[in-house]
Amino acid sequence: MKTIKNEWLGTGLEDRPEFASGDISQSLGPQSGFFAEVTGLQTSPLLNRPELADELGIGALFIKDERERLGLGSFKALGAAYAIAKQAFARIRSGKATDPATALKGVTFVCASAGNHGLSLAEGARIFGANAVVFVAQSVPEAFAARLKDKGARVVRAGEIYEESMAEAERHASENGWHLLSDSTWTGMTQPGRDVMEGYLKMGEEIARQIPEPPTHVFLQAGVGGLAAACASSARTSWGEGVTIVVVEPEAAPALLASISAGKPVLAPGPVSNMGRLDCKEPSHLALRYLALEANLFATVTDAEAVETVAWLDGNGLKTTPSGAAGLCAVHHARGHVEELGLTPNSRVLCYLSEGPEDG
């Protein structure tokens, strides 16, 4: 595991023309209640595992368990589906629609996905009467494509890797007048990804009610950084400057760590990681802006460390994937980095179990 301190903490990166702009720090509005009511959203569990805390040499370990969120298997259920619900809510509030089930009839949402984002988009489109098109790379398992089709999405295979399927999604959105709903942000493409990140604030809102005492540390896994940025924002809102926020990425895809080191968004190429949902070589610009301001530390974990942590969690009744366990992986392998991380026998640590096992 590698760690670096964030030299931009509290000041943030300067505004640059290559940055996307936007704000996710606002409190969730009435659209959040609408989303919860229409989808039947339930609060996900916050697990308190004192026996694991003892094993790790810390005072407490709280785990936000997102493995059953909306029956989709991950925190991503709060993202694209929420962004789509927000558009449906706006149409109903303006009088352009009355029934949530048909509020977005005739609208087509499109994305590229290697995992859970596509399922969230497909489910959101289904609930609000819209169409869904999901571009997937040739490497994406057919079982995942079948799950998307079961949700009513049209699945299009394009390219050998995610970036190539994303390029095709962008092209088709432009040519067909479809709504491109990415979970990332870049210059000229901010609002959809911002809305996705806003949906993730729901986790922090729930934790603030669930946790018995404020954590001293929050470990957040990151791909492009959407979850990490939203949860870091929530942590600062709830607990102020007293909490240490650690962002954790695959060693093979340190997009945020490299960008923080460079002081701007950069490409961080590397080999394929077994943390597939986190294997992102370029950060979301808006997420990077937030994490530069709010995160204390950035860390990377190896594929081997992630595999060890998944096995450890499985042995303790917490089935997940290397991606879902990445934040916990940093805590699990913190020995030798205790001083940098500031962990002590009195530390109260919050982590996120962000997805369930791929085989269900």
Side-chain angles (χ1 to χ4, degrees):
M1 184 168 68
K2 172 185 177 182
T3 64
I4 67 164
K5 289 184 177 180
N6 175 20
E7 63 179 292
W8 308 102
L9 176 65
T11 59
L13 293 168
E14 297 177 1
D15 287 337
R16 298 173 184 269
E18 66 266 29
F19 268 157
S21 61
D23 178 21
I24 60 163
S25 62
Q26 62 190 9
S27 298
L28 288 167
Q31 69 273 8
S32 176
F34 170 79
F35 172 63
E37 180 180 356
V38 174
T39 62
L41 183 71
Q42 300 293 315
T43 298
S44 68
L46 182 70
L47 310 178
N48 184 354
R49 299 298 297 263
E51 79 285 9
L52 300 185
D54 289 344
E55 184 177 342
L56 295 170
I58 55 179
L61 177 64
F62 300 100
I63 303 171
K64 184 63 167 169
D65 186 355
E66 292 292 310
R67 294 175 297 168
E68 297 295 330
R69 182 71 80 171
L70 278 182
L72 298 183
S74 87
F75 78 98
K76 293 274 187 177
L78 295 172
Y82 171 87
I84 292 171
K86 191 173 179 180
Q87 292 196 31
F89 178 75
R91 287 184 63 84
I92 290 172
R93 186 168 59 174
S94 69
K96 295 179 180 178
T98 56
D99 183 355
T102 57
L104 296 175
K105 184 178 180 179
V107 177
T108 297
F109 292 94
V110 60
C111 73
S113 180
N116 299 308
H117 176 64
L119 282 173
S120 184
L121 181 141
E123 179 71 350
R126 183 191 66 80
I127 290 171
F128 296 104
N131 304 310
V133 182
V134 181
F135 284 77
V136 300
Q138 298 298 338
S139 57
V140 171
E142 185 56 35
F144 174 65
R147 290 183 68 192
L148 288 168
K149 292 174 184 176
D150 286 345
K151 292 293 182 184
R154 174 187 165 199
V155 178
V156 181
R157 289 203 178 263
E160 297 299 322
I161 58 175
Y162 170 81
E163 286 76 13
E164 293 175 357
S165 57
M166 184 69 219
E168 281 299 290
E170 287 186 73
R171 183 173 71 82
H172 280 264
S174 177
E175 291 178 354
N176 295 292
W178 295 344
H179 290 253
L180 181 64
L181 183 50
S182 172
D183 57 354
S184 188
T185 61
W186 56 90
T187 303
M189 186 63 179
T190 301
Q191 189 64 35
R194 195 217 72 85
D195 286 346
V196 168
M197 291 164 66
E198 182 182 300
Y200 299 157
L201 294 174
K202 187 68 176 174
M203 290 181 285
E205 182 183 80
E206 292 176 357
I207 291 169
R209 298 194 304 266
Q210 293 172 308
I211 200 162
E213 54 185 333
T216 60
H217 294 72
V218 180
F219 285 77
L220 300 167
Q221 54 263 55
V224 297
L227 175 149
C231 294
S233 178
S234 292
R236 290 288 181 228
T237 298
S238 295
W239 306 303
E241 302 305 312
V243 62
T244 296
I245 296 173
V246 185
V247 177
V248 183
E249 298 176 279
E251 182 182 67
L256 292 159
L257 184 148
S259 296
I260 288 294
S261 297
K264 62 181 180 180
V266 298
L267 184 68
V272 173
S273 171
N274 65 4
M275 289 168 269
R277 261 70 68 202
L278 307 183
D279 191 7
C280 304
K281 313 303 188 187
E282 191 170 0
S284 166
H285 291 189
L286 185 55
L288 176 61
R289 287 173 67 101
Y290 270 86
L291 292 171
L293 181 66
E294 306 289 14
N296 298 82
L297 298 163
F298 289 78
T300 59
V301 293
T302 67
D303 283 13
E305 288 170 334
V307 168
E308 290 175 12
T309 299
V310 167
W312 174 68
L313 290 169
D314 191 9
N316 285 282
L318 298 170
K319 291 183 178 294
T320 187
T321 67
S323 298
L328 280 155
C329 180
V331 185
H332 188 218
H333 291 274
R335 293 177 179 84
H337 300 273
V338 170
E339 185 175 346
E340 299 104 296
L341 297 171
L343 292 172
T344 75
N346 295 317
S347 296
R348 299 181 301 274
V349 176
L350 170 64
C351 293
Y352 289 71
L353 203 58
S354 58
E355 66 177 14
E358 291 176 345
D359 60 4

